[in-house]
Amino acid sequence: MTGEISLLTIFVLSVFVGFEVVSKVAAILHTPLMSGANAIHGVILVGAILVAGKAESTVELVLALLAVVFATVNVVGGFVATDRMLSMFSGKERRR
Amino acid sequence: MSQDLVHLVYLLAALCFILALKGLSTPRHARTANLVGALGMVFAVAIAFGDGRIGNVGWILAAIALGVIIGIPAARAVKMTAIPQMVALFNGVGGAAAALVALTEFLATTGNAGMRAATVFGVLVGCVSFSGSLVTFLKLQELMTTRPVILPYGRSTAIGVSVLCLGLAVAVVPTASTALVITLSVAGLLLGVLFVLPVGGADVPIAISLLNAFTGLAVAASGYVLGNTLLIVAGTLVGASGTLLTRMMAKAMGRSLTNILFGAFTPAAIGGDGG
């Protein structure tokens, strides 16, 4: 199996896992789930680190570092915002 | 560091993300699930520094520190009611990061045709997500009207720009032209704005959810460009789950997705209830 085919395999299987994991979500959790998924795509930070790490020209380094800053904001902001949202929910659950 | 170890940790992080998404679907485990996701992210970012030869480490750490300094207060200081627009902003910068990663890798090595196809996809979708999310932020923050904005000839303009983007994207694959990729990113930014302007106030969260799925796909495309399995898995997970979630959100509101996205373009919806 060549490299590109195995990447395609991973992609296709991930699509099914992605559909499967959220298929039974409760309606009140739609927004926190969206926010949590938002934080997870911040994993582009790994990609930003990899391109910044091998950047040779100044242009590449500047673009890659900008990506690192953006991706970090996405990651930390995403997880913190999701946690705040859920802390509100868990309070509600307990009161019920 | 051994590449096998790096990839094992990537696998561990991917598992954390899957468990996080799964746990976020049930109220009891949601908060723990979010922490599991964050833990996976810490593993992934830490091991990334051992993935091949990483230079410029000082610069990268400084950029991460800057991101943390911006991100944490932004997420903590906002009022609870303003969280949806913060999510939109975080999604937007994520999309921008995905586009920048694909663009930077393209500048470093233009790769083969398959990689260039993934590059144009990552750049285009990332740019659409970035500018689209900014507009949704402006709408929810009420810095602009929350009503659907119908530009004169809006529909033809949107179709024209889409065709232009598609043409540019197809042209980049054989030519590997940097100028075309940059033109494509500008056209993508414009398309994102045109895409979200006609969406009305109450439907904006659904547009954010869809753009969230877009960013996921852009991340997956950037992952393909870099040959990084973790980015492909995590990006695709978000892309697929986000698409399904968008449909469920629209259904919960009793609206069809096409109506939300394109309803403002049809004459009947402008004056009426759009339903």
Side-chain angles (χ1 to χ4, degrees):
Chain A
M1 197 158 66
T2 63
E4 294 192 4
I5 295 297
S6 55
L7 294 183
L8 186 67
T9 309
I10 292 168
F11 169 74
V12 173
L13 294 179
S14 301
V15 169
F16 283 92
V17 177
F19 280 140
E20 193 54 41
V21 287
V22 300
S23 58
K24 293 186 190 78
V25 59
I28 58 158
L29 284 172
H30 281 169
T31 312
L33 179 60
M34 174 176 85
S35 179
N38 173 41
I40 287 171
H41 70 49
V43 74
I44 188 64
L45 177 55
V46 168
I49 291 171
L50 296 181
V51 287
K54 59 182 178 148
E56 277 164 6
S57 71
T58 316
V59 181
E60 284 170 35
L61 184 60
V62 169
L63 290 176
L65 288 177
L66 192 61
V68 172
V69 175
F70 279 169
T72 311
V73 171
N74 185 179
V75 169
V76 297
F79 283 118
V80 172
T82 311
D83 191 60
R84 277 190 70 193
M85 240 184 264
L86 291 170
S87 69
M88 197 176 63
F89 273 109
S90 59
K92 259 186 205 158
E93 288 296 310
R94 258 180 249 127
R95 251 178 275 137
R96 209 180 275 166
Chain B
M1 199 182 303
S2 142
Q3 281 298 304
D4 284 347
L5 176 66
V6 172
H7 285 99
L8 274 177
V9 177
Y10 281 160
L11 174 62
L12 181 67
L15 286 176
C16 287
F17 295 157
I18 294 173
L19 291 174
L21 285 175
K22 186 78 199 159
L24 277 167
S25 309
T26 50
R28 276 185 62 188
H29 305 295
R31 211 168 170 193
T32 323
N34 188 45
L35 292 178
V36 170
L39 190 67
M41 194 64 77
V42 171
F43 290 150
V45 170
I47 205 71
F49 285 95
D51 189 352
R53 291 230 322 272
I54 300 288
N56 308 316
V57 174
W59 281 109
I60 297 172
L61 290 176
I64 291 178
L66 181 62
V68 172
I69 292 169
I70 300 170
I72 290 186
R76 282 187 167 275
V78 293
K79 281 198 233 110
M80 220 59 201
T81 49
I83 286 216
Q85 48 266 50
M86 285 316 291
V87 173
L89 267 192
F90 296 146
N91 178 48
V93 290
L100 283 170
V101 167
L103 181 64
T104 313
E105 181 66 11
F106 177 79
L107 294 178
T109 157
T110 50
N112 60 28
M115 280 162 74
R116 287 198 290 273
T119 302
V120 290
F121 185 84
V123 168
L124 176 61
V125 177
C127 286
V128 167
S129 184
F130 175 60
S131 63
S133 298
L134 287 188
V135 176
T136 57
F137 169 78
L138 294 177
K139 283 192 179 221
L140 288 180
Q141 194 70 25
E142 297 183 351
L143 292 171
M144 63 176 284
T145 170
T146 54
R147 292 188 58 75
V149 178
I150 319 286
L151 298 172
Y153 304 108
R155 187 179 194 169
S156 348
T157 316
I159 293 173
V161 174
S162 314
V163 171
L164 174 69
C165 286
L166 205 64
L168 285 167
V170 171
V172 169
V173 176
T175 59
S177 149
T178 309
L180 282 182
V181 174
I182 291 168
T183 319
L184 176 69
S185 30
V186 176
L189 291 173
L190 184 62
L191 183 62
V193 174
L194 292 172
F195 175 64
V196 178
L197 275 181
V199 178
D203 294 333
V204 168
I206 294 172
I208 296 177
S209 177
L210 189 64
L211 290 169
N212 191 36
F214 279 11
T215 305
L217 292 177
V219 169
S222 299
Y224 185 82
V225 175
L226 293 173
N228 184 297
T229 49
L230 176 63
L231 292 193
I232 296 179
V233 173
T236 312
L237 276 177
V238 176
S241 62
T243 310
L244 189 60
L245 181 64
T246 308
R247 287 193 56 186
M248 290 193 289
M249 284 169 84
K251 210 173 158 194
M253 290 175 67
R255 308 271 272 126
S256 84
L257 204 51
T258 30
N259 198 305
I260 289 164
L261 297 176
F262 307 109
F265 286 130
T266 55
I270 293 170
D273 53 21

Short mmCIF file of all heavy atoms in Angstrom, two decimals, chain A residues 36-82:
data_model
loop_
_atom_site.label_atom_id
_atom_site.label_comp_id
_atom_site.label_asym_id
_atom_site.label_seq_id
_atom_site.Cartn_x
_atom_site.Cartn_y
_atom_site.Cartn_z
N GLY A 36 -16.68 22.20 21.21
CA GLY A 36 -15.64 21.20 21.46
C GLY A 36 -14.98 20.77 20.16
O GLY A 36 -13.75 20.65 20.08
N ALA A 37 -15.79 20.54 19.12
CA ALA A 37 -15.24 20.17 17.82
C ALA A 37 -14.36 21.30 17.29
O ALA A 37 -13.31 21.06 16.69
CB ALA A 37 -16.37 19.87 16.84
N ASN A 38 -14.79 22.53 17.56
CA ASN A 38 -14.03 23.71 17.15
C ASN A 38 -12.64 23.69 17.79
O ASN A 38 -11.63 23.93 17.13
CB ASN A 38 -14.83 24.95 17.57
CG ASN A 38 -14.08 26.23 17.35
OD1 ASN A 38 -13.42 26.40 16.34
ND2 ASN A 38 -14.17 27.13 18.30
N ALA A 39 -12.58 23.35 19.08
CA ALA A 39 -11.28 23.28 19.75
C ALA A 39 -10.42 22.18 19.15
O ALA A 39 -9.21 22.34 18.98
CB ALA A 39 -11.48 23.03 21.24
N ILE A 40 -11.07 21.04 18.78
CA ILE A 40 -10.29 19.91 18.26
C ILE A 40 -9.66 20.22 16.90
O ILE A 40 -8.53 19.83 16.65
CB ILE A 40 -11.18 18.64 18.22
CG1 ILE A 40 -11.40 18.15 19.66
CG2 ILE A 40 -10.55 17.55 17.37
CD1 ILE A 40 -12.40 17.05 19.80
N HIS A 41 -10.35 20.99 16.05
CA HIS A 41 -9.69 21.28 14.78
C HIS A 41 -8.54 22.27 14.97
O HIS A 41 -7.76 22.50 14.03
CB HIS A 41 -10.66 21.65 13.66
CG HIS A 41 -11.37 22.95 13.78
ND1 HIS A 41 -10.73 24.13 14.04
CD2 HIS A 41 -12.68 23.26 13.65
CE1 HIS A 41 -11.62 25.10 14.05
NE2 HIS A 41 -12.80 24.61 13.84
N GLY A 42 -8.39 22.80 16.19
CA GLY A 42 -7.18 23.56 16.51
C GLY A 42 -5.92 22.73 16.45
O GLY A 42 -4.81 23.26 16.55
N VAL A 43 -6.08 21.42 16.24
CA VAL A 43 -4.92 20.52 16.10
C VAL A 43 -4.05 20.94 14.91
O VAL A 43 -2.91 20.51 14.79
CB VAL A 43 -5.39 19.06 15.95
CG1 VAL A 43 -5.99 18.81 14.58
CG2 VAL A 43 -4.26 18.08 16.22
N ILE A 44 -4.58 21.84 14.08
CA ILE A 44 -3.76 22.41 13.00
C ILE A 44 -2.50 23.05 13.58
O ILE A 44 -1.51 23.25 12.88
CB ILE A 44 -4.60 23.43 12.18
CG1 ILE A 44 -3.87 23.91 10.91
CG2 ILE A 44 -5.00 24.64 13.00
CD1 ILE A 44 -3.61 22.85 9.92
N LEU A 45 -2.52 23.32 14.91
CA LEU A 45 -1.32 23.81 15.60
C LEU A 45 -0.13 22.87 15.35
O LEU A 45 1.00 23.34 15.15
CB LEU A 45 -1.61 23.94 17.11
CG LEU A 45 -0.47 24.36 18.01
CD1 LEU A 45 0.18 25.66 17.55
CD2 LEU A 45 -0.95 24.52 19.45
N VAL A 46 -0.40 21.56 15.36
CA VAL A 46 0.68 20.60 15.09
C VAL A 46 1.26 20.86 13.69
O VAL A 46 2.48 20.94 13.51
CB VAL A 46 0.16 19.15 15.21
CG1 VAL A 46 1.17 18.16 14.66
CG2 VAL A 46 -0.15 18.82 16.66
N GLY A 47 0.36 21.05 12.72
CA GLY A 47 0.82 21.34 11.36
C GLY A 47 1.60 22.64 11.29
O GLY A 47 2.62 22.73 10.61
N ALA A 48 1.11 23.65 12.04
CA ALA A 48 1.78 24.95 12.03
C ALA A 48 3.18 24.83 12.62
O ALA A 48 4.13 25.42 12.11
CB ALA A 48 0.94 25.96 12.83
N ILE A 49 3.32 24.01 13.70
CA ILE A 49 4.65 23.81 14.31
C ILE A 49 5.57 23.11 13.31
O ILE A 49 6.73 23.50 13.15
CB ILE A 49 4.52 22.98 15.61
CG1 ILE A 49 3.80 23.79 16.69
CG2 ILE A 49 5.89 22.53 16.10
CD1 ILE A 49 3.45 23.00 17.93
N LEU A 50 5.04 22.11 12.61
CA LEU A 50 5.87 21.36 11.66
C LEU A 50 6.36 22.26 10.52
O LEU A 50 7.54 22.20 10.16
CB LEU A 50 5.09 20.16 11.09
CG LEU A 50 4.70 19.08 12.10
CD1 LEU A 50 3.96 17.95 11.40
CD2 LEU A 50 5.91 18.54 12.84
N VAL A 51 5.48 23.12 9.97
CA VAL A 51 5.95 23.98 8.87
C VAL A 51 6.86 25.09 9.40
O VAL A 51 7.83 25.47 8.73
CB VAL A 51 4.81 24.59 8.01
CG1 VAL A 51 4.16 23.55 7.14
CG2 VAL A 51 3.79 25.33 8.83
N ALA A 52 6.58 25.59 10.60
CA ALA A 52 7.46 26.63 11.18
C ALA A 52 8.84 26.04 11.47
O ALA A 52 9.85 26.70 11.30
CB ALA A 52 6.84 27.21 12.45
N GLY A 53 8.85 24.76 11.89
CA GLY A 53 10.11 24.11 12.26
C GLY A 53 11.06 23.89 11.10
O GLY A 53 12.26 23.79 11.28
N LYS A 54 10.50 23.81 9.88
CA LYS A 54 11.40 23.60 8.73
C LYS A 54 11.40 24.80 7.78
O LYS A 54 11.91 24.70 6.67
CB LYS A 54 11.03 22.32 8.00
CG LYS A 54 9.63 22.28 7.47
CD LYS A 54 9.34 20.94 6.81
CE LYS A 54 7.91 20.93 6.34
NZ LYS A 54 7.68 20.15 5.16
N ALA A 55 10.83 25.94 8.24
CA ALA A 55 10.81 27.14 7.40
C ALA A 55 12.23 27.60 7.14
O ALA A 55 13.05 27.67 8.05
CB ALA A 55 9.99 28.23 8.08
N GLU A 56 12.54 27.91 5.87
CA GLU A 56 13.88 28.36 5.55
C GLU A 56 13.93 29.84 5.22
O GLU A 56 14.84 30.54 5.63
CB GLU A 56 14.45 27.52 4.41
CG GLU A 56 15.03 26.22 4.95
CD GLU A 56 15.26 25.18 3.89
OE1 GLU A 56 15.10 25.48 2.70
OE2 GLU A 56 15.61 24.04 4.28
N SER A 57 12.91 30.34 4.49
CA SER A 57 12.91 31.77 4.17
C SER A 57 12.13 32.53 5.25
O SER A 57 11.37 31.94 6.02
CB SER A 57 12.27 32.00 2.81
OG SER A 57 10.87 31.77 2.90
N THR A 58 12.35 33.85 5.27
CA THR A 58 11.66 34.69 6.25
C THR A 58 10.16 34.67 6.01
O THR A 58 9.37 34.61 6.96
CB THR A 58 12.16 36.14 6.15
OG1 THR A 58 13.58 36.10 6.05
CG2 THR A 58 11.76 36.95 7.35
N VAL A 59 9.75 34.70 4.72
CA VAL A 59 8.32 34.70 4.40
C VAL A 59 7.65 33.46 4.99
O VAL A 59 6.61 33.54 5.66
CB VAL A 59 8.09 34.75 2.88
CG1 VAL A 59 6.61 34.77 2.56
CG2 VAL A 59 8.78 35.94 2.27
N GLU A 60 8.28 32.29 4.74
CA GLU A 60 7.71 31.05 5.27
C GLU A 60 7.60 31.10 6.78
O GLU A 60 6.58 30.73 7.36
CB GLU A 60 8.60 29.85 4.89
CG GLU A 60 8.48 29.42 3.45
CD GLU A 60 9.56 28.40 3.10
OE1 GLU A 60 9.91 27.59 3.97
OE2 GLU A 60 10.06 28.44 1.97
N LEU A 61 8.67 31.59 7.44
CA LEU A 61 8.67 31.60 8.90
C LEU A 61 7.57 32.50 9.43
O LEU A 61 6.83 32.13 10.35
CB LEU A 61 10.04 32.04 9.42
CG LEU A 61 10.19 31.99 10.95
CD1 LEU A 61 9.99 30.58 11.48
CD2 LEU A 61 11.56 32.51 11.38
N VAL A 62 7.43 33.70 8.82
CA VAL A 62 6.41 34.65 9.30
C VAL A 62 5.02 34.05 9.14
O VAL A 62 4.21 34.06 10.07
CB VAL A 62 6.53 35.99 8.55
CG1 VAL A 62 5.33 36.88 8.84
CG2 VAL A 62 7.82 36.71 8.95
N LEU A 63 4.74 33.48 7.94
CA LEU A 63 3.42 32.89 7.70
C LEU A 63 3.16 31.74 8.68
O LEU A 63 2.07 31.63 9.26
CB LEU A 63 3.31 32.38 6.26
CG LEU A 63 3.25 33.44 5.17
CD1 LEU A 63 3.23 32.78 3.80
CD2 LEU A 63 2.02 34.33 5.33
N ALA A 64 4.18 30.90 8.88
CA ALA A 64 4.00 29.74 9.75
C ALA A 64 3.80 30.17 11.21
O ALA A 64 2.97 29.60 11.91
CB ALA A 64 5.20 28.81 9.63
N LEU A 65 4.55 31.19 11.63
CA LEU A 65 4.39 31.64 13.03
C LEU A 65 3.01 32.27 13.23
O LEU A 65 2.39 32.12 14.28
CB LEU A 65 5.50 32.63 13.41
CG LEU A 65 6.88 32.01 13.58
CD1 LEU A 65 7.92 33.09 13.89
CD2 LEU A 65 6.89 30.95 14.67
N LEU A 66 2.54 32.99 12.20
CA LEU A 66 1.19 33.54 12.28
C LEU A 66 0.18 32.41 12.44
O LEU A 66 -0.75 32.48 13.25
CB LEU A 66 0.90 34.34 11.00
CG LEU A 66 -0.34 35.23 11.00
CD1 LEU A 66 -0.23 36.29 12.08
CD2 LEU A 66 -0.51 35.89 9.63
N ALA A 67 0.41 31.32 11.69
CA ALA A 67 -0.46 30.15 11.82
C ALA A 67 -0.38 29.56 13.22
O ALA A 67 -1.40 29.14 13.78
CB ALA A 67 -0.08 29.09 10.78
N VAL A 68 0.84 29.56 13.82
CA VAL A 68 0.98 29.02 15.18
C VAL A 68 0.15 29.86 16.16
O VAL A 68 -0.58 29.31 16.99
CB VAL A 68 2.47 29.00 15.62
CG1 VAL A 68 2.59 28.64 17.09
CG2 VAL A 68 3.26 28.01 14.79
N VAL A 69 0.25 31.20 16.04
CA VAL A 69 -0.51 32.07 16.95
C VAL A 69 -2.01 31.81 16.77
O VAL A 69 -2.73 31.58 17.75
CB VAL A 69 -0.20 33.56 16.68
CG1 VAL A 69 -1.08 34.46 17.54
CG2 VAL A 69 1.27 33.86 16.94
N PHE A 70 -2.47 31.83 15.52
CA PHE A 70 -3.90 31.62 15.24
C PHE A 70 -4.38 30.27 15.80
O PHE A 70 -5.41 30.18 16.46
CB PHE A 70 -4.17 31.66 13.74
CG PHE A 70 -4.27 33.05 13.17
CD1 PHE A 70 -4.28 33.27 11.80
CD2 PHE A 70 -4.38 34.16 14.01
CE1 PHE A 70 -4.39 34.54 11.26
CE2 PHE A 70 -4.49 35.43 13.49
CZ PHE A 70 -4.49 35.63 12.11
N ALA A 71 -3.60 29.22 15.51
CA ALA A 71 -4.02 27.88 15.93
C ALA A 71 -4.05 27.77 17.45
O ALA A 71 -4.94 27.14 18.01
CB ALA A 71 -3.08 26.84 15.33
N THR A 72 -3.06 28.42 18.12
CA THR A 72 -3.05 28.38 19.58
C THR A 72 -4.29 29.06 20.16
O THR A 72 -4.91 28.56 21.10
CB THR A 72 -1.78 29.05 20.14
OG1 THR A 72 -0.66 28.53 19.45
CG2 THR A 72 -1.63 28.78 21.62
N VAL A 73 -4.65 30.22 19.57
CA VAL A 73 -5.86 30.91 20.02
C VAL A 73 -7.06 29.98 19.85
O VAL A 73 -7.91 29.86 20.74
CB VAL A 73 -6.08 32.22 19.22
CG1 VAL A 73 -7.44 32.83 19.53
CG2 VAL A 73 -4.98 33.21 19.52
N ASN A 74 -7.12 29.29 18.70
CA ASN A 74 -8.20 28.35 18.42
C ASN A 74 -8.26 27.25 19.50
O ASN A 74 -9.32 26.97 20.08
CB ASN A 74 -8.00 27.75 17.03
CG ASN A 74 -9.14 26.85 16.58
OD1 ASN A 74 -9.10 26.32 15.49
ND2 ASN A 74 -10.16 26.65 17.40
N VAL A 75 -7.10 26.67 19.81
CA VAL A 75 -7.06 25.56 20.77
C VAL A 75 -7.45 26.02 22.18
O VAL A 75 -8.43 25.51 22.75
CB VAL A 75 -5.65 24.92 20.82
CG1 VAL A 75 -5.55 23.97 21.99
CG2 VAL A 75 -5.37 24.20 19.53
N VAL A 76 -6.70 26.97 22.74
CA VAL A 76 -6.95 27.32 24.14
C VAL A 76 -8.31 28.01 24.28
O VAL A 76 -9.08 27.69 25.19
CB VAL A 76 -5.83 28.18 24.76
CG1 VAL A 76 -4.53 27.42 24.80
CG2 VAL A 76 -5.66 29.49 24.07
N GLY A 77 -8.62 28.92 23.36
CA GLY A 77 -9.93 29.58 23.41
C GLY A 77 -11.05 28.57 23.30
O GLY A 77 -12.02 28.62 24.04
N GLY A 78 -10.90 27.62 22.38
CA GLY A 78 -11.94 26.62 22.15
C GLY A 78 -12.20 25.77 23.38
O GLY A 78 -13.35 25.62 23.81
N PHE A 79 -11.14 25.24 23.99
CA PHE A 79 -11.34 24.37 25.15
C PHE A 79 -11.87 25.16 26.35
O PHE A 79 -12.75 24.68 27.07
CB PHE A 79 -10.06 23.62 25.52
CG PHE A 79 -9.78 22.45 24.61
CD1 PHE A 79 -8.64 22.41 23.82
CD2 PHE A 79 -10.66 21.38 24.54
CE1 PHE A 79 -8.39 21.34 22.97
CE2 PHE A 79 -10.42 20.31 23.70
CZ PHE A 79 -9.28 20.29 22.91
N VAL A 80 -11.33 26.38 26.56
CA VAL A 80 -11.79 27.18 27.71
C VAL A 80 -13.26 27.57 27.53
O VAL A 80 -14.07 27.45 28.46
CB VAL A 80 -10.90 28.43 27.90
CG1 VAL A 80 -11.48 29.35 28.96
CG2 VAL A 80 -9.48 28.02 28.27
N ALA A 81 -13.64 28.00 26.31
CA ALA A 81 -15.02 28.39 26.07
C ALA A 81 -15.97 27.20 26.26
O ALA A 81 -17.04 27.34 26.87
CB ALA A 81 -15.17 28.97 24.67
N THR A 82 -15.56 26.03 25.77
CA THR A 82 -16.41 24.84 25.92
C THR A 82 -16.59 24.52 27.40
O THR A 82 -17.70 24.20 27.84
CB THR A 82 -15.77 23.63 25.20
OG1 THR A 82 -15.39 24.03 23.90
CG2 THR A 82 -16.73 22.47 25.12
#
